Amino acid sequence: MAGHRGIDGGRPSRRVAIGLGAGMGAGLAGLAAAPEATAAAAGRSVDVVVVGAGFAGLTAALRLRAAGRSVVVLEADDRVGGRTKPGRIAGEVIDLGGQWVGPSQTRLLDLARRYGTATYPQFATGRNIADIAGQRADYEGETPTLEPAAMAEFVDVIGKLEKLALEIPGARPWTFAGAADLDSQTIETWIVANAKTPAVRSAMRVLTRALLSAEPSQVSMLAYAAYAATAGGFGALISTRGGAQDALFEGGTWQLAARMAADLGPAVVLNAPVQRIRQSDAGVVVGTPDAEWRARYAVVTAPPPLAGRVHYEPPMPAARDGLTQRMPMGCVIKVHVAYARPFWRERGLTGLVLSDRTEFGPWFDHSPRRGGGGGLVGFFDGGPAQRWADRSPADRRARVLGDIALYFGDEALKPVDYLEEVWTRAANHRGGYVAAPPPGVITAFGPALHEPVGRIHWAGTETADAWVGYIDGAIRSGERVADELAARL
Ligand SMILES: Cc1cc2nc3c(=O)[nH]c(=O)nc-3n(C[C@H](O)[C@H](O)[C@H](O)COP(=O)(O)OP(=O)(O)OC[C@H]3O[C@@H](n4cnc5c(N)ncnc54)[C@H](O)[C@@H]3O)c2cc1C
């Protein structure tokens, strides 16, 4: 993985492991092996094989086990957590993947409560910066400020998007009356049709990249509106207070995945990339390079483009295969920068910058809660991530610091530490935050996202009925698939 310095980079020596990264699992290890795990290790036969140890897979496995079923979770990586991952910068544990939680993400908040993990609010005191179409404006609150002549149109365009998000059934957008029309447009063509002012168009493009890690020209407008619908609206997606960036977890988000894996014990098998799934009337046989697992059912939680790399026997129906060929991951690089102190706060700034002049961004304050140090976290999203993923870490670092210095001055050029994760080059992920379909895909192939194929069921945040693309959605999908199977087992 290009340039990453995750804290659990070492490969575990055991094939069957509880999935805790070195240094993160203190206090969680030493768990008793679950009975079915012992049986599974011996006979490699369980009720359900779950593919992928992200939040969806771990949730599904725990729920199935709670219903009295035996499970094994096969994970391709040498760690659990999927699109969440821990790192350490300037002595602080941070998240290299998913991190924020919002107030309506109740499944994730419930999970954190269960494990006694507290949240704290995203720092948002002061002025944000929007620098769009050559005009810099500082603003407070959630709606970026554009040049005065553009504001009315900006509010109007966001209002149109909100209206769509309210009308569209987010989990089943292909059933929407206007689905064919919206699915024939990209977000870009919709923006151009609905906004005349260059500043509004540019702001909408910046927001799209920030929300989907994809270019507006690459994603269906129906998919975008449905995405917002499953979050409860566009405002919920872009907002800090009350929205998707509302709060963080003390000690990081990834620890919740580690704790779920610890509860599952040896039923989580790392370094176990599933290469093939064979199904028949008798059950499924799931193959990794080292082993074959027999089960009555399989749950695949890998996102569609990765699920499509598994070899299925018999082959997938045309609808499912067509879907997985047509739903690419977004492109994203996540970056943390540590400073001796949060000097931007001294100037009354929150640290949030939205700009169409930079390659890096948006970025947010991510200063440690204690000790007085400063921190920023931000992204290369969509086109910028495509352009920078294959550059050297030193090139990226120079670009990131230069972009931050444009707004925060030369102090930004002197960090005490720098850490990044190039998700687009991560072998088992191939990007993030989410897989997003281009035009024509959801209306033609959408139902194949959820519909089981024989004994194989699908989960993962892309299949969620709420908060698609987020950890909360992943958890919901894990619950849904466990309930589907409990009804069949
Ligand atoms: C940079 C970044 C920032 C994000 N920020 C946020 C945020 O702030 N808040 C938020 O809620 N969400 C955020 N997200 C999104 C969030 O992380 C994901 O929605 C969520 O983690 C997805 O969980 P999942 O279980 O559905 O999928 P995944 O986490 O992708 O899990 C799927 C698992 O399957 C494994 N796998 C794939 N193929 C195979 C195979 N053949 N065999 C075995 N295993 C396989 C993968 O290794 C992976 O572990 C972010 C994501 C990224 C990348």
Side-chain angles (χ1 to χ4, degrees):
M1 233 171 283
H4 96 276
R5 291 194 282 118
I7 63 172
D8 60 342
R11 296 182 81 77
S13 55
R14 289 178 302 157
R15 278 283 159 195
V16 178
I18 58 170
L20 297 176
M24 293 297 291
L28 299 175
L31 295 138
E36 85 272 28
T38 314
R44 295 211 168 105
S45 175
V46 286
D47 288 326
V48 181
V49 171
V50 177
V51 181
F55 276 81
L58 295 168
T59 301
L62 282 171
R63 199 168 173 100
L64 282 162
R65 175 182 294 167
R69 305 302 171 183
S70 59
V71 289
V72 66
V73 184
L74 303 179
E75 168 55 51
D77 267 347
D78 59 5
R79 61 174 180 86
V80 299
R83 280 171 267 176
T84 65
K85 178 177 181 179
R88 194 182 286 276
I89 182 167
E92 293 286 323
V93 173
I94 50 78
D95 286 295
L96 289 164
Q99 65 174 41
W100 281 288
V101 63
S104 67
Q105 296 178 348
T106 51
R107 297 302 205 283
L108 178 53
L109 289 168
D110 286 349
L111 181 71
R113 255 191 300 276
R114 207 174 316 141
Y115 288 121
T117 303
T119 59
Y120 64 94
Q122 167 64 38
F123 181 79
T125 307
R127 287 169 287 115
N128 308 308
I129 295 174
D131 184 10
I132 303 290
Q135 173 120 356
R136 177 180 155 171
D138 291 7
Y139 69 99
E140 290 184 24
E142 307 303 337
T143 308
T145 308
L146 307 183
E147 64 198 43
M151 260 333 264
E153 189 179 62
F154 187 45
V155 170
D156 178 56
V157 169
I158 290 183
K160 283 184 181 159
L161 197 44
E162 284 295 19
K163 187 165 173 290
L164 280 175
L166 280 178
E167 288 170 0
I168 289 179
R172 289 186 158 61
W174 51 89
T175 62
F176 177 56
D181 177 41
L182 276 181
D183 202 28
S184 70
Q185 303 173 52
T186 64
I187 303 171
E188 177 67 21
T189 56
W190 187 88
I191 290 172
V192 169
N194 286 277
K196 303 289 166 251
T197 317
V200 178
R201 290 181 176 177
S202 193
M204 294 307 291
R205 291 174 187 132
V206 167
L207 291 173
T208 306
R209 285 187 200 103
L211 294 178
L212 289 177
S213 292
E215 288 300 303
S217 57
Q218 294 167 345
V219 180
S220 153
M221 186 58 203
L222 179 64
Y224 194 36
Y227 194 72
T230 69
F234 189 67
L237 289 175
I238 63 170
S239 296
T240 299
R241 277 297 153 269
Q245 287 70 235
D246 188 70
L248 299 129
F249 293 103
E250 292 273 9
T253 306
W254 176 82
Q255 65 180 306
L256 299 172
R259 285 169 187 268
M260 284 196 281
D263 282 351
L264 284 161
V268 179
V269 183
L270 302 180
N271 300 308
V274 168
Q275 297 172 315
R276 55 196 180 278
I277 304 180
R278 207 165 62 231
Q279 61 171 319
S280 68
D281 290 345
V284 296
V285 181
V286 180
T288 70
D290 298 333
E292 287 209 323
W293 293 82
R294 283 166 203 287
R296 294 171 67 192
Y297 296 97
V299 170
V300 177
T301 71
L306 289 154
R309 289 170 183 245
V310 173
H311 178 78
Y312 300 94
E313 284 178 38
M316 281 292 120
R320 174 71 197 179
D321 193 57
L323 177 84
T324 58
Q325 288 188 50
R326 288 169 174 79
M327 211 167 148
M329 300 302 287
C331 233
V332 65
I333 303 167
K334 185 171 180 181
V335 178
H336 287 263
V337 189
Y339 292 99
R341 51 178 230 294
F343 51 89
W344 53 91
R345 291 186 184 179
E346 294 156 16
R347 297 174 208 163
L349 297 172
T350 61
L352 169 58
V353 175
L354 281 176
S355 168
D356 62 5
R357 272 209 288 162
T358 58
E359 286 282 275
F360 179 61
W363 62 85
F364 300 77
D365 186 299
H366 197 279
S367 302
R369 298 260 282 153
R370 288 163 275 277
L376 294 172
V377 61
F379 307 88
F380 288 89
D381 281 319
Q386 286 165 241
R387 288 190 284 278
W388 288 86
D390 294 331
R391 302 281 293 267
S392 72
D395 278 1
R396 278 192 296 271
R397 183 180 191 274
R399 179 72 206 210
V400 166
L401 300 183
D403 280 352
I404 298 172
L406 274 179
Y407 301 97
F408 294 176
D410 284 354
E411 256 182 300
L413 302 173
K414 299 182 196 94
V416 296
D417 207 351
Y418 175 94
L419 186 64
E420 62 175 25
E421 180 73 19
V422 184
W423 285 94
T424 292
R425 294 188 55 178
N428 297 312
H429 307 284
R430 310 265 163 166
Y433 324 115
V434 63
V441 174
I442 310 187
T443 41
F445 301 98
L449 258 179
H450 321 85
E451 268 170 22
V453 176
R455 293 175 174 274
I456 306 175
H457 288 234
W458 316 104
T461 192
E462 284 78 7
T463 72
D465 56 2
W467 284 107
V468 166
Y470 289 78
I471 299 163
D472 190 77
I475 296 170
R476 288 169 193 269
S477 77
E479 291 174 355
R480 189 251 310 141
V481 84
D483 293 347
E484 278 171 17
L485 281 172
R488 290 185 76 175
L489 278 160

